[in-house]
Amino acid sequence: MRIYAAENYEDMCLKVAERIAALVITEPCSVLGLATGSTPLGIYALLSRWYADGHVSFRQVRTVNLDEYLGLAGSHPQSYRYYMDHRLFQNVDIRPANTYLPDGTASDLTAECLRYDRLIASLGGIRLQLLGLGHNGHIGFNEPGDAFVPGTHVVALEESTIQANLRLFDSIDAVPRRAVTMGMRDIMGAKSVLLAVSGADKAEAVVKAVSGPVTPQVPASILQLHPDATLIADKAALSLLHEIECIYYTNIQ
Ligand code: GLP
């Protein structure tokens, strides 16, 4: 895994957004795998701005998101569909019909998981998968467990994840306890993977993901096996990694 250090959150977002924009400019029909959470907010804000400034178009891009809460319709402000619509899709020229997320309200979840896997396959797989990192090492909503799960599946969220998500809901009872997430086959099948991490609170998870054993107890550790995985993290998130493990990356702007 290549590791690039950014100065801070803003710099991390810039470095990640530059890579996404460069890909979309050079390969306009790209299938982007997208993530939610706090980490990508600055990335999506930059992409939205660069679209508004006429630097990049998403007209031919197709997107598949990693995950969705179970039971939240797209109109719910905390659903990932709502997040994506408001943080990126409505700000750029992407065709709404080309934006895909798992349906957390599907009545037949087994069929929905299968549909999502087939959808990703029908798009030809993912060109670039953007990932955030959970405090427990999760990617998407692939929580620590006894085995890596290959396909899209329903997960029971860990208590620590539920607590982390509480900041976005009115009460603990309102935080969804289950979600549907893309599995490791589609994430690892992406041609390139970009892991974006910010903050000292993620430093321990970064060490485990990057230099610990590859184990389903730390889902992100599987990225060590990916042929084109890049971690872009700010110095706070890299603070527990030995300096020799980082390629310090200077800003060329
Ligand atoms: C959430 C999402 C992940 C995200 C992670 C980190 O639960 N399902 O896709 O990457 O947790 O979130 P944040 O960026 O808010 O720290």
Side-chain angles (χ1 to χ4, degrees):
M1 196 186 309
R2 282 181 301 276
I3 303 171
Y4 293 129
E7 280 302 318
N8 49 32
Y9 175 73
E10 288 71 27
D11 189 35
M12 182 277 290
C13 289
L14 179 65
K15 286 171 167 53
V16 173
E18 279 174 337
R19 282 170 177 257
I20 296 172
L23 175 69
V24 170
I25 288 166
T26 54
E27 297 178 36
C29 299
S30 289
V31 176
L32 300 180
L34 296 179
T36 49
S38 303
T39 307
L41 288 173
I43 299 166
Y44 296 149
L46 282 171
L47 293 173
S48 301
R49 190 183 342 135
W50 293 341
Y51 163 73
D53 290 345
H55 299 316
V56 60
S57 166
F58 294 81
R59 195 69 187 152
Q60 298 177 79
V61 165
R62 289 150 303 155
T63 64
V64 282
N65 261 79
L66 283 165
D67 45 16
E68 180 58 282
Y69 289 118
L70 230 64
L72 295 196
S75 54
H76 190 292
Q78 294 308 333
S79 72
Y80 286 163
R81 162 54 78 182
Y82 189 96
Y83 171 113
M84 290 307 305
D85 284 348
H86 288 80
R87 299 298 186 168
L88 183 65
F89 299 153
Q90 290 176 3
N91 306 335
V92 299
D93 60 346
I94 195 165
R95 292 184 166 95
N98 286 345
T99 66
Y100 303 97
L101 283 90
D103 179 1
T105 63
S107 53
D108 183 343
L109 289 167
T110 308
E112 174 57 13
C113 291
L114 204 60
R115 179 194 73 85
Y116 208 62
D117 283 336
R118 286 186 177 147
L119 167 78
I120 295 169
S122 74
L123 294 173
I126 297 165
R127 173 62 184 84
L128 172 73
Q129 178 64 56
L130 174 64
L131 295 170
L133 182 66
H135 292 102
N136 59 6
H138 75 223
I139 48 177
F141 268 135
N142 289 271
E143 294 280 43
D146 295 334
F148 293 115
V149 182
T152 300
H153 59 286
V154 172
V155 282
L157 301 179
E158 278 209 342
E159 198 48 43
S160 65
T161 304
I162 294 167
Q163 288 298 333
N165 292 340
L166 174 58
R167 69 189 194 283
L168 304 167
F169 290 83
D170 293 337
S171 71
I172 192 74
D173 293 337
V175 185
R177 303 201 153 247
R178 293 197 301 160
V180 54
T181 183
M182 202 188 277
M184 292 305 194
R185 186 183 52 228
D186 289 319
I187 294 173
M188 290 297 283
K191 199 166 167 197
S192 33
V193 175
L194 212 43
L195 178 61
V197 191
S198 169
D201 55 315
K202 300 277 179 76
E204 212 173 304
V206 166
V207 172
K208 289 182 183 165
V210 167
S211 53
V214 174
T215 164
Q217 294 299 329
V218 183
S221 65
I222 199 170
L223 300 175
Q224 293 176 38
L225 305 180
H226 195 284
D228 184 10
T230 303
L231 165 65
I232 301 185
D234 59 19
K235 285 182 175 169
L238 293 173
S239 55
L240 297 180
L241 264 195
H242 197 280
E243 204 164 307
I244 203 84
E245 292 169 293
C246 303
I247 301 164
Y248 280 93
Y249 178 91
T250 45
N251 207 335
I252 49 167
Q253 292 199 330

